[in-house]
Amino acid sequence: MSIAEMARAASGTTRGGAAERAAGARPAIRWLLLAVGLTAALAMPWVMYPPIAFDIACFALLAVSVDLLLGYTGLLSFGHAAFWGTAAYTATLVSLQTGAPFPLAVLAGMVAAAVLSVPIGYLAVKRTGIYFAMVTLAFAQMIFFLANQWRSVTGGENGLVGPARELFNMDLSDPFFFYYAGLPFILLGLLAAWRVVRSPFGRVLVAIRDNPSRARALGYPVHQYKLGVFVISASLAGLAGGLFAISHGFASLQEVYWTTSGKAVMIVVLGGMGTLWGSVIGAYLVVQLEYFLSDAGFEEIGIVTGSIFVLVVLLFRRGIWGTARHTLEKLQRRRE
Amino acid sequence: MRSVAGRSAAVLAAAALVLTGCGQGGPGGGGGKISGDKVVLGVINDQSGVYADLSGKNSVEAVNMAIADFKKKHPDSAIKDIEVVSADHQNKPDLANSKAAELYDRQQADIILDVPTSSAALAVANVAKQKKKLHINVGAATTELSGKSCNKYTFHYAYDTYMLAYGTGTTLTQEGAKNWYIVYPDYAFGQDMNKSFTAAVEAGGGNVIKSDPTPFPNDNFSTFLLKAPKLNPKPDVIGTMQAGGDLVNLVKQYNEFKLADKGVGLAVGLMFITDIHSLGVEAFEGVTFTDAWYWNFDDKNRKWADRFQAKTDTRPSFAHAGNYSAALQYLEAVERAGTDESDAVVKELEGYEFDDVFARNGKIRAEDHRMVHDAYLAKVKEKSEVSEEWDYEEIVSTIPADKAFAPVGDTQCQMG
């Protein structure tokens, strides 16, 4: 099964977008879900350790940005660590050098990620499938080695430590408060992704995913569209990465390492490709699991996360959100 | 769990304390002030990855031994209750950073110990600075901890890249190995080691003919090894800064090419006894390296190692002993200060001189918080000389504490 076919199956947008129609018929449910989601987002730091709550938010946005490509355009990016990490380093550097308030630093990181994504995207979108994944991975590894070697700027393996967390003279070093300061930016990012998906632009992306030849025949410049969504996706990943670095108070090589890209893809597949909100749930599970395992006393953490991943892929091919939606639809159809 | 209720309770409690303090009229005295009525020691290290053997869970065990010894020595101490909490950072600085913050905030840890991997160590040091809680680093090698990134609440124990380089580089050069060829993994640790080693060799009157970076991680070192005997002048020693799996590969290939027979020796920048154990002593026969501590050095060490083995079924590495000593010296400092309040304990630790199972001529420098002690130049025994399991090292010479570590002025530390 190709990536595009898998994404199509998971997102349930075949058969003329039955899911969209079903959901559209019940706006009440949609509002309810939104309210539940927002409440959960606001309540998180009360029920768990605030920095972890913010990690979840950041990885959710990163995964959503990957899902824009994977789920909605059928492009598997295995190099989003490059954008996440570039933004993390840029935001940290800007904050350290200029002492700018954190939203400015994060914005600078986001811009850096967007700028970087133009040449990478330009070259990568000429390929599809596994070749696209390999090209993005190759560029991400280039960024990794650059960050590793350029010690005077990035600190090499030691990383960069200590950007301030201040806003208008308010001390946000308490992670509980920083969560609420950073959350609006994450929500804005999620809103942007949602808006992209629901826009005519997003519909064209889905058309390209499902049948690129037909999209081209209809007169859509496929490469430009792909490049467009690639830059948007990279910017969102950058937004998430910048916030992540500021929240942790440092940027390290881990941020640009391929495992970060892998983690993002894993979150998307767990949550459900082409569902956006599935990625949020996936992020919650993966980050919590990693955190939980770190003092649970298991020695083989990789085996645990790996098995869970294999199980989900074997049993719920649509991911968690995709499976839930599919089951609901089935029930509804039976009732009709 | 953090909640506003919890916070206001804390504020109320603080207010109540102030009020009762005033009520009694005058300062309540400094003695017996232990926060939460217990001292909590946190250990963050790698319990599932490449460093799990050389430190990992057994370091937590070593800290428990320190607590037992402390309680035995001070049966009527003001510290009634001592607890250990630990976490696996999986060598990820992000995780080390959040775990450290969580241990300080939510588990009321007074100190965090160990933390191997330089990036993770620097991240934790930064958290310690922000939270004004102690961090004694044992597992990481970077000199930055007591250099550019030093801070009031962070101490660096056991070893660092300077110690490793000085011990092996200078000593071997003075013993006649004038020409060196250095291979190092191309990341921060390797680059630092290359720099320190070159300086150490030159200080000993030797000469580094060539130093080559290798990819990291790397399986095939034949390019570098085969080049060595052909260099002009021919190097007396190859200095390798590889660690872990890379070191194992390099040593295997060094033996396969029989470079020792061609008159090219091998010196290792960083090696733990657990490396020798896992690859077998044959592979490392005759290799020289600097060790911070060896379990079979004397009776004192041996007795402690026996106790350690009874608990863990393995002999201790220097990291295990270092964690034991760090925990013990911290508790002693709390005892002397009569409180676990960070600033008071820091004051007790600064400039403190001591001897224990781990440290001979140990001293915690006040200027940069570098803990210095005697280091050892060690040689791996021939297989025929090994008389029992783990009996791998022969201590060639002792490097005195005041020589083993970088002089105070050189460390670029500005304690803020």
Side-chain angles (χ1 to χ4, degrees), chain B residues 164-165 167-169 172 180 193 197 237-244 247 250-251 265-272 275 284 287-291 377-378 380:
Chain B
L164 298 168
T168 314
L172 275 187
W180 284 70
M193 285 293 280
F197 245 83
V237 192
I238 298 178
T240 166
M241 307 304 134
Q242 264 70 20
L247 176 65
L250 188 138
V251 173
L266 184 66
V268 176
L270 171 60
M271 188 155 73
F272 288 89
D275 293 326
F284 288 104
V287 168
T288 311
F289 67 103
T290 307
D291 204 347
L377 190 68
V380 180

PDB file of all heavy atoms in Angstrom, chain B residues 164-165 167-169 172 180 193 197 237-244 247 250-251 265-272 275 284 287-291 377-378 380:
ATOM      1  N   LEU B 164      41.749  13.019  32.303  1.00  0.00           N
ATOM      2  CA  LEU B 164      42.034  11.866  31.444  1.00  0.00           C
ATOM      3  C   LEU B 164      43.237  12.148  30.556  1.00  0.00           C
ATOM      4  O   LEU B 164      44.133  11.324  30.413  1.00  0.00           O
ATOM      5  CB  LEU B 164      40.818  11.553  30.569  1.00  0.00           C
ATOM      6  CG  LEU B 164      39.543  11.163  31.324  1.00  0.00           C
ATOM      7  CD1 LEU B 164      38.357  11.170  30.372  1.00  0.00           C
ATOM      8  CD2 LEU B 164      39.703   9.797  31.959  1.00  0.00           C
ATOM      9  N   ALA B 165      43.249  13.354  29.979  1.00  0.00           N
ATOM     10  CA  ALA B 165      44.318  13.688  29.044  1.00  0.00           C
ATOM     11  C   ALA B 165      45.643  13.863  29.766  1.00  0.00           C
ATOM     12  O   ALA B 165      46.672  13.343  29.341  1.00  0.00           O
ATOM     13  CB  ALA B 165      43.960  14.965  28.289  1.00  0.00           C
ATOM     14  N   GLY B 167      46.681  12.685  32.643  1.00  0.00           N
ATOM     15  CA  GLY B 167      47.213  11.442  33.187  1.00  0.00           C
ATOM     16  C   GLY B 167      47.908  10.624  32.117  1.00  0.00           C
ATOM     17  O   GLY B 167      49.091  10.288  32.233  1.00  0.00           O
ATOM     18  N   THR B 168      47.184  10.337  31.074  1.00  0.00           N
ATOM     19  CA  THR B 168      47.733   9.457  30.055  1.00  0.00           C
ATOM     20  C   THR B 168      48.745  10.190  29.180  1.00  0.00           C
ATOM     21  O   THR B 168      49.851   9.694  28.948  1.00  0.00           O
ATOM     22  CB  THR B 168      46.590   8.891  29.197  1.00  0.00           C
ATOM     23  OG1 THR B 168      45.557   8.454  30.076  1.00  0.00           O
ATOM     24  CG2 THR B 168      47.060   7.727  28.367  1.00  0.00           C
ATOM     25  N   GLY B 169      48.371  11.370  28.709  1.00  0.00           N
ATOM     26  CA  GLY B 169      49.214  12.102  27.769  1.00  0.00           C
ATOM     27  C   GLY B 169      50.564  12.482  28.348  1.00  0.00           C
ATOM     28  O   GLY B 169      51.613  12.061  27.859  1.00  0.00           O
ATOM     29  N   LEU B 172      52.733   9.315  29.928  1.00  0.00           N
ATOM     30  CA  LEU B 172      53.330   8.420  28.929  1.00  0.00           C
ATOM     31  C   LEU B 172      54.451   9.117  28.171  1.00  0.00           C
ATOM     32  O   LEU B 172      55.479   8.519  27.867  1.00  0.00           O
ATOM     33  CB  LEU B 172      52.272   7.935  27.947  1.00  0.00           C
ATOM     34  CG  LEU B 172      51.467   6.711  28.372  1.00  0.00           C
ATOM     35  CD1 LEU B 172      50.594   6.251  27.232  1.00  0.00           C
ATOM     36  CD2 LEU B 172      52.403   5.583  28.805  1.00  0.00           C
ATOM     37  N   TRP B 180      53.133  10.978  18.992  1.00  0.00           N
ATOM     38  CA  TRP B 180      51.748  10.536  19.156  1.00  0.00           C
ATOM     39  C   TRP B 180      50.962  10.691  17.863  1.00  0.00           C
ATOM     40  O   TRP B 180      51.146  11.616  17.092  1.00  0.00           O
ATOM     41  CB  TRP B 180      51.060  11.365  20.226  1.00  0.00           C
ATOM     42  CG  TRP B 180      51.454  11.005  21.619  1.00  0.00           C
ATOM     43  CD1 TRP B 180      52.671  11.233  22.205  1.00  0.00           C
ATOM     44  CD2 TRP B 180      50.646  10.358  22.596  1.00  0.00           C
ATOM     45  NE1 TRP B 180      52.658  10.772  23.483  1.00  0.00           N
ATOM     46  CE2 TRP B 180      51.431  10.225  23.767  1.00  0.00           C
ATOM     47  CE3 TRP B 180      49.330   9.880  22.600  1.00  0.00           C
ATOM     48  CZ2 TRP B 180      50.935   9.634  24.915  1.00  0.00           C
ATOM     49  CZ3 TRP B 180      48.846   9.300  23.752  1.00  0.00           C
ATOM     50  CH2 TRP B 180      49.643   9.171  24.902  1.00  0.00           C
ATOM     51  N   MET B 193      38.765  16.251  23.950  1.00  0.00           N
ATOM     52  CA  MET B 193      39.819  15.321  24.337  1.00  0.00           C
ATOM     53  C   MET B 193      41.052  15.510  23.463  1.00  0.00           C
ATOM     54  O   MET B 193      42.182  15.443  23.944  1.00  0.00           O
ATOM     55  CB  MET B 193      39.311  13.879  24.231  1.00  0.00           C
ATOM     56  CG  MET B 193      38.372  13.473  25.328  1.00  0.00           C
ATOM     57  SD  MET B 193      39.166  13.388  26.945  1.00  0.00           S
ATOM     58  CE  MET B 193      39.970  11.802  26.845  1.00  0.00           C
ATOM     59  N   PHE B 197      44.506  16.463  25.038  1.00  0.00           N
ATOM     60  CA  PHE B 197      45.587  15.496  24.870  1.00  0.00           C
ATOM     61  C   PHE B 197      46.800  16.125  24.205  1.00  0.00           C
ATOM     62  O   PHE B 197      47.932  15.902  24.620  1.00  0.00           O
ATOM     63  CB  PHE B 197      45.101  14.295  24.045  1.00  0.00           C
ATOM     64  CG  PHE B 197      45.104  13.027  24.833  1.00  0.00           C
ATOM     65  CD1 PHE B 197      44.047  12.714  25.655  1.00  0.00           C
ATOM     66  CD2 PHE B 197      46.175  12.151  24.783  1.00  0.00           C
ATOM     67  CE1 PHE B 197      44.048  11.553  26.401  1.00  0.00           C
ATOM     68  CE2 PHE B 197      46.183  10.984  25.534  1.00  0.00           C
ATOM     69  CZ  PHE B 197      45.114  10.682  26.343  1.00  0.00           C
ATOM     70  N   VAL B 237      52.875   5.860  19.976  1.00  0.00           N
ATOM     71  CA  VAL B 237      51.577   5.523  20.557  1.00  0.00           C
ATOM     72  C   VAL B 237      50.446   6.061  19.694  1.00  0.00           C
ATOM     73  O   VAL B 237      50.546   7.166  19.162  1.00  0.00           O
ATOM     74  CB  VAL B 237      51.401   6.171  21.956  1.00  0.00           C
ATOM     75  CG1 VAL B 237      50.197   5.585  22.656  1.00  0.00           C
ATOM     76  CG2 VAL B 237      52.627   6.011  22.793  1.00  0.00           C
ATOM     77  N   ILE B 238      49.397   5.270  19.555  1.00  0.00           N
ATOM     78  CA  ILE B 238      48.147   5.809  19.025  1.00  0.00           C
ATOM     79  C   ILE B 238      47.297   6.169  20.236  1.00  0.00           C
ATOM     80  O   ILE B 238      47.062   5.327  21.104  1.00  0.00           O
ATOM     81  CB  ILE B 238      47.390   4.773  18.173  1.00  0.00           C
ATOM     82  CG1 ILE B 238      48.223   4.370  16.963  1.00  0.00           C
ATOM     83  CG2 ILE B 238      46.039   5.330  17.734  1.00  0.00           C
ATOM     84  CD1 ILE B 238      47.558   3.313  16.106  1.00  0.00           C
ATOM     85  N   GLY B 239      46.864   7.401  20.288  1.00  0.00           N
ATOM     86  CA  GLY B 239      45.966   7.804  21.365  1.00  0.00           C
ATOM     87  C   GLY B 239      44.549   7.785  20.823  1.00  0.00           C
ATOM     88  O   GLY B 239      44.238   8.533  19.904  1.00  0.00           O
ATOM     89  N   THR B 240      43.690   6.940  21.377  1.00  0.00           N
ATOM     90  CA  THR B 240      42.321   6.908  20.882  1.00  0.00           C
ATOM     91  C   THR B 240      41.381   7.525  21.915  1.00  0.00           C
ATOM     92  O   THR B 240      41.469   7.228  23.109  1.00  0.00           O
ATOM     93  CB  THR B 240      41.856   5.482  20.530  1.00  0.00           C
ATOM     94  OG1 THR B 240      40.450   5.495  20.382  1.00  0.00           O
ATOM     95  CG2 THR B 240      42.241   4.486  21.596  1.00  0.00           C
ATOM     96  N   MET B 241      40.512   8.413  21.416  1.00  0.00           N
ATOM     97  CA  MET B 241      39.561   9.084  22.308  1.00  0.00           C
ATOM     98  C   MET B 241      38.177   8.473  22.160  1.00  0.00           C
ATOM     99  O   MET B 241      37.187   9.017  22.629  1.00  0.00           O
ATOM    100  CB  MET B 241      39.487  10.582  21.985  1.00  0.00           C
ATOM    101  CG  MET B 241      40.833  11.269  21.968  1.00  0.00           C
ATOM    102  SD  MET B 241      41.699  11.036  23.507  1.00  0.00           S
ATOM    103  CE  MET B 241      43.315  10.609  22.926  1.00  0.00           C
ATOM    104  N   GLN B 242      38.111   7.349  21.437  1.00  0.00           N
ATOM    105  CA  GLN B 242      36.820   6.694  21.250  1.00  0.00           C
ATOM    106  C   GLN B 242      36.308   6.144  22.581  1.00  0.00           C
ATOM    107  O   GLN B 242      37.104   5.865  23.483  1.00  0.00           O
ATOM    108  CB  GLN B 242      36.959   5.540  20.249  1.00  0.00           C
ATOM    109  CG  GLN B 242      36.593   5.884  18.812  1.00  0.00           C
ATOM    110  CD  GLN B 242      37.576   6.820  18.155  1.00  0.00           C
ATOM    111  OE1 GLN B 242      38.702   6.947  18.586  1.00  0.00           O
ATOM    112  NE2 GLN B 242      37.131   7.485  17.097  1.00  0.00           N
ATOM    113  N   ALA B 243      34.998   5.977  22.651  1.00  0.00           N
ATOM    114  CA  ALA B 243      34.428   5.416  23.876  1.00  0.00           C
ATOM    115  C   ALA B 243      33.360   4.388  23.500  1.00  0.00           C
ATOM    116  O   ALA B 243      32.915   4.341  22.357  1.00  0.00           O
ATOM    117  CB  ALA B 243      33.814   6.520  24.730  1.00  0.00           C
ATOM    118  N   GLY B 244      33.000   3.572  24.462  1.00  0.00           N
ATOM    119  CA  GLY B 244      31.902   2.626  24.280  1.00  0.00           C
ATOM    120  C   GLY B 244      32.120   1.681  23.117  1.00  0.00           C
ATOM    121  O   GLY B 244      33.202   1.130  22.934  1.00  0.00           O
ATOM    122  N   LEU B 247      35.096   2.268  20.783  1.00  0.00           N
ATOM    123  CA  LEU B 247      36.390   1.887  21.360  1.00  0.00           C
ATOM    124  C   LEU B 247      36.618   0.389  21.179  1.00  0.00           C
ATOM    125  O   LEU B 247      37.703  -0.056  20.790  1.00  0.00           O
ATOM    126  CB  LEU B 247      36.420   2.252  22.848  1.00  0.00           C
ATOM    127  CG  LEU B 247      37.675   1.814  23.595  1.00  0.00           C
ATOM    128  CD1 LEU B 247      38.892   2.541  23.056  1.00  0.00           C
ATOM    129  CD2 LEU B 247      37.536   2.081  25.083  1.00  0.00           C
ATOM    130  N   LEU B 250      37.594  -0.304  17.630  1.00  0.00           N
ATOM    131  CA  LEU B 250      38.940   0.152  17.325  1.00  0.00           C
ATOM    132  C   LEU B 250      39.989  -0.787  17.928  1.00  0.00           C
ATOM    133  O   LEU B 250      40.961  -1.155  17.271  1.00  0.00           O
ATOM    134  CB  LEU B 250      39.136   1.580  17.845  1.00  0.00           C
ATOM    135  CG  LEU B 250      40.450   2.233  17.403  1.00  0.00           C
ATOM    136  CD1 LEU B 250      40.202   3.682  17.010  1.00  0.00           C
ATOM    137  CD2 LEU B 250      41.506   2.180  18.478  1.00  0.00           C
ATOM    138  N   VAL B 251      39.752  -1.201  19.168  1.00  0.00           N
ATOM    139  CA  VAL B 251      40.740  -2.062  19.822  1.00  0.00           C
ATOM    140  C   VAL B 251      40.809  -3.425  19.130  1.00  0.00           C
ATOM    141  O   VAL B 251      41.894  -3.965  18.897  1.00  0.00           O
ATOM    142  CB  VAL B 251      40.412  -2.217  21.316  1.00  0.00           C
ATOM    143  CG1 VAL B 251      41.322  -3.240  21.963  1.00  0.00           C
ATOM    144  CG2 VAL B 251      40.559  -0.886  22.016  1.00  0.00           C
ATOM    145  N   GLY B 265      52.214   1.518  20.222  1.00  0.00           N
ATOM    146  CA  GLY B 265      51.403   1.219  21.394  1.00  0.00           C
ATOM    147  C   GLY B 265      50.008   1.822  21.283  1.00  0.00           C
ATOM    148  O   GLY B 265      49.706   2.558  20.336  1.00  0.00           O
ATOM    149  N   LEU B 266      49.160   1.517  22.267  1.00  0.00           N
ATOM    150  CA  LEU B 266      47.807   2.057  22.253  1.00  0.00           C
ATOM    151  C   LEU B 266      47.510   2.662  23.620  1.00  0.00           C
ATOM    152  O   LEU B 266      47.723   2.030  24.652  1.00  0.00           O
ATOM    153  CB  LEU B 266      46.802   0.948  21.939  1.00  0.00           C
ATOM    154  CG  LEU B 266      45.354   1.387  21.793  1.00  0.00           C
ATOM    155  CD1 LEU B 266      45.168   2.279  20.576  1.00  0.00           C
ATOM    156  CD2 LEU B 266      44.431   0.184  21.670  1.00  0.00           C
ATOM    157  N   ALA B 267      47.046   3.912  23.597  1.00  0.00           N
ATOM    158  CA  ALA B 267      46.615   4.554  24.831  1.00  0.00           C
ATOM    159  C   ALA B 267      45.171   4.976  24.641  1.00  0.00           C
ATOM    160  O   ALA B 267      44.795   5.443  23.569  1.00  0.00           O
ATOM    161  CB  ALA B 267      47.477   5.769  25.136  1.00  0.00           C
ATOM    162  N   VAL B 268      44.384   4.778  25.674  1.00  0.00           N
ATOM    163  CA  VAL B 268      42.955   5.058  25.565  1.00  0.00           C
ATOM    164  C   VAL B 268      42.621   6.280  26.404  1.00  0.00           C
ATOM    165  O   VAL B 268      43.065   6.387  27.552  1.00  0.00           O
ATOM    166  CB  VAL B 268      42.137   3.835  26.020  1.00  0.00           C
ATOM    167  CG1 VAL B 268      40.665   4.145  26.010  1.00  0.00           C
ATOM    168  CG2 VAL B 268      42.422   2.653  25.126  1.00  0.00           C
ATOM    169  N   GLY B 269      41.851   7.192  25.818  1.00  0.00           N
ATOM    170  CA  GLY B 269      41.485   8.421  26.516  1.00  0.00           C
ATOM    171  C   GLY B 269      40.560   8.145  27.679  1.00  0.00           C
ATOM    172  O   GLY B 269      40.833   8.504  28.814  1.00  0.00           O
ATOM    173  N   LEU B 270      39.446   7.491  27.404  1.00  0.00           N
ATOM    174  CA  LEU B 270      38.458   7.233  28.451  1.00  0.00           C
ATOM    175  C   LEU B 270      38.073   5.767  28.414  1.00  0.00           C
ATOM    176  O   LEU B 270      37.621   5.270  27.378  1.00  0.00           O
ATOM    177  CB  LEU B 270      37.207   8.089  28.241  1.00  0.00           C
ATOM    178  CG  LEU B 270      36.009   7.754  29.138  1.00  0.00           C
ATOM    179  CD1 LEU B 270      36.347   7.909  30.599  1.00  0.00           C
ATOM    180  CD2 LEU B 270      34.818   8.626  28.791  1.00  0.00           C
ATOM    181  N   MET B 271      38.303   5.078  29.524  1.00  0.00           N
ATOM    182  CA  MET B 271      37.893   3.677  29.562  1.00  0.00           C
ATOM    183  C   MET B 271      37.379   3.352  30.945  1.00  0.00           C
ATOM    184  O   MET B 271      37.918   3.796  31.955  1.00  0.00           O
ATOM    185  CB  MET B 271      39.070   2.781  29.198  1.00  0.00           C
ATOM    186  CG  MET B 271      38.675   1.340  29.032  1.00  0.00           C
ATOM    187  SD  MET B 271      39.817   0.456  27.960  1.00  0.00           S
ATOM    188  CE  MET B 271      41.233   0.316  29.005  1.00  0.00           C
ATOM    189  N   PHE B 272      36.300   2.584  30.983  1.00  0.00           N
ATOM    190  CA  PHE B 272      35.773   2.128  32.263  1.00  0.00           C
ATOM    191  C   PHE B 272      36.068   0.649  32.399  1.00  0.00           C
ATOM    192  O   PHE B 272      36.178  -0.065  31.398  1.00  0.00           O
ATOM    193  CB  PHE B 272      34.258   2.361  32.315  1.00  0.00           C
ATOM    194  CG  PHE B 272      33.875   3.796  32.446  1.00  0.00           C
ATOM    195  CD1 PHE B 272      33.697   4.579  31.323  1.00  0.00           C
ATOM    196  CD2 PHE B 272      33.693   4.363  33.691  1.00  0.00           C
ATOM    197  CE1 PHE B 272      33.342   5.909  31.442  1.00  0.00           C
ATOM    198  CE2 PHE B 272      33.335   5.689  33.812  1.00  0.00           C
ATOM    199  CZ  PHE B 272      33.163   6.462  32.693  1.00  0.00           C
ATOM    200  N   ASP B 275      34.095  -1.660  30.375  1.00  0.00           N
ATOM    201  CA  ASP B 275      34.466  -1.881  28.972  1.00  0.00           C
ATOM    202  C   ASP B 275      35.389  -3.089  28.856  1.00  0.00           C
ATOM    203  O   ASP B 275      35.236  -3.923  27.959  1.00  0.00           O
ATOM    204  CB  ASP B 275      35.193  -0.655  28.393  1.00  0.00           C
ATOM    205  CG  ASP B 275      34.291   0.555  28.276  1.00  0.00           C
ATOM    206  OD1 ASP B 275      33.090   0.361  28.005  1.00  0.00           O
ATOM    207  OD2 ASP B 275      34.774   1.680  28.458  1.00  0.00           O
ATOM    208  N   PHE B 284      42.382  -5.898  25.449  1.00  0.00           N
ATOM    209  CA  PHE B 284      42.982  -4.639  25.908  1.00  0.00           C
ATOM    210  C   PHE B 284      44.379  -4.816  26.499  1.00  0.00           C
ATOM    211  O   PHE B 284      44.953  -3.857  26.998  1.00  0.00           O
ATOM    212  CB  PHE B 284      42.081  -3.990  26.970  1.00  0.00           C
ATOM    213  CG  PHE B 284      40.807  -3.414  26.419  1.00  0.00           C
ATOM    214  CD1 PHE B 284      39.600  -4.063  26.592  1.00  0.00           C
ATOM    215  CD2 PHE B 284      40.821  -2.221  25.719  1.00  0.00           C
ATOM    216  CE1 PHE B 284      38.425  -3.537  26.089  1.00  0.00           C
ATOM    217  CE2 PHE B 284      39.649  -1.694  25.217  1.00  0.00           C
ATOM    218  CZ  PHE B 284      38.448  -2.358  25.405  1.00  0.00           C
ATOM    219  N   VAL B 287      47.129  -2.035  27.305  1.00  0.00           N
ATOM    220  CA  VAL B 287      46.663  -0.680  27.007  1.00  0.00           C
ATOM    221  C   VAL B 287      46.789   0.212  28.242  1.00  0.00           C
ATOM    222  O   VAL B 287      46.482  -0.210  29.357  1.00  0.00           O
ATOM    223  CB  VAL B 287      45.191  -0.722  26.532  1.00  0.00           C
ATOM    224  CG1 VAL B 287      44.600   0.673  26.499  1.00  0.00           C
ATOM    225  CG2 VAL B 287      45.104  -1.379  25.174  1.00  0.00           C
ATOM    226  N   THR B 288      47.252   1.433  28.037  1.00  0.00           N
ATOM    227  CA  THR B 288      47.402   2.363  29.153  1.00  0.00           C
ATOM    228  C   THR B 288      46.252   3.367  29.171  1.00  0.00           C
ATOM    229  O   THR B 288      45.840   3.834  28.117  1.00  0.00           O
ATOM    230  CB  THR B 288      48.715   3.144  29.002  1.00  0.00           C
ATOM    231  OG1 THR B 288      49.754   2.213  28.739  1.00  0.00           O
ATOM    232  CG2 THR B 288      49.028   3.927  30.244  1.00  0.00           C
ATOM    233  N   PHE B 289      45.763   3.692  30.340  1.00  0.00           N
ATOM    234  CA  PHE B 289      44.706   4.703  30.443  1.00  0.00           C
ATOM    235  C   PHE B 289      44.697   5.298  31.847  1.00  0.00           C
ATOM    236  O   PHE B 289      45.346   4.780  32.754  1.00  0.00           O
ATOM    237  CB  PHE B 289      43.336   4.109  30.098  1.00  0.00           C
ATOM    238  CG  PHE B 289      42.824   3.095  31.068  1.00  0.00           C
ATOM    239  CD1 PHE B 289      41.844   3.427  31.990  1.00  0.00           C
ATOM    240  CD2 PHE B 289      43.323   1.804  31.074  1.00  0.00           C
ATOM    241  CE1 PHE B 289      41.369   2.489  32.899  1.00  0.00           C
ATOM    242  CE2 PHE B 289      42.860   0.859  31.979  1.00  0.00           C
ATOM    243  CZ  PHE B 289      41.881   1.199  32.882  1.00  0.00           C
ATOM    244  N   THR B 290      43.954   6.387  32.014  1.00  0.00           N
ATOM    245  CA  THR B 290      43.853   7.021  33.324  1.00  0.00           C
ATOM    246  C   THR B 290      42.563   6.596  33.996  1.00  0.00           C
ATOM    247  O   THR B 290      41.505   6.637  33.378  1.00  0.00           O
ATOM    248  CB  THR B 290      43.870   8.550  33.185  1.00  0.00           C
ATOM    249  OG1 THR B 290      45.014   8.908  32.429  1.00  0.00           O
ATOM    250  CG2 THR B 290      43.930   9.216  34.535  1.00  0.00           C
ATOM    251  N   ASP B 291      42.671   6.202  35.226  1.00  0.00           N
ATOM    252  CA  ASP B 291      41.490   5.769  35.960  1.00  0.00           C
ATOM    253  C   ASP B 291      41.330   6.684  37.178  1.00  0.00           C
ATOM    254  O   ASP B 291      42.314   7.123  37.773  1.00  0.00           O
ATOM    255  CB  ASP B 291      41.658   4.303  36.406  1.00  0.00           C
ATOM    256  CG  ASP B 291      40.302   3.637  36.623  1.00  0.00           C
ATOM    257  OD1 ASP B 291      39.300   4.370  36.677  1.00  0.00           O
ATOM    258  OD2 ASP B 291      40.251   2.407  36.748  1.00  0.00           O
ATOM    259  N   LEU B 377      47.364   6.232  36.849  1.00  0.00           N
ATOM    260  CA  LEU B 377      47.680   5.751  35.520  1.00  0.00           C
ATOM    261  C   LEU B 377      47.650   4.229  35.595  1.00  0.00           C
ATOM    262  O   LEU B 377      48.359   3.629  36.401  1.00  0.00           O
ATOM    263  CB  LEU B 377      49.059   6.240  35.081  1.00  0.00           C
ATOM    264  CG  LEU B 377      49.361   5.978  33.616  1.00  0.00           C
ATOM    265  CD1 LEU B 377      48.465   6.836  32.729  1.00  0.00           C
ATOM    266  CD2 LEU B 377      50.820   6.263  33.296  1.00  0.00           C
ATOM    267  N   ALA B 378      46.804   3.618  34.767  1.00  0.00           N
ATOM    268  CA  ALA B 378      46.597   2.176  34.870  1.00  0.00           C
ATOM    269  C   ALA B 378      46.987   1.483  33.578  1.00  0.00           C
ATOM    270  O   ALA B 378      46.962   2.078  32.500  1.00  0.00           O
ATOM    271  CB  ALA B 378      45.140   1.881  35.196  1.00  0.00           C
ATOM    272  N   VAL B 380      46.288  -2.281  31.498  1.00  0.00           N
ATOM    273  CA  VAL B 380      45.484  -3.496  31.512  1.00  0.00           C
ATOM    274  C   VAL B 380      46.420  -4.700  31.586  1.00  0.00           C
ATOM    275  O   VAL B 380      47.383  -4.802  30.828  1.00  0.00           O
ATOM    276  CB  VAL B 380      44.585  -3.585  30.272  1.00  0.00           C
ATOM    277  CG1 VAL B 380      43.758  -4.860  30.306  1.00  0.00           C
ATOM    278  CG2 VAL B 380      43.681  -2.370  30.179  1.00  0.00           C
TER     279      VAL B 380
END
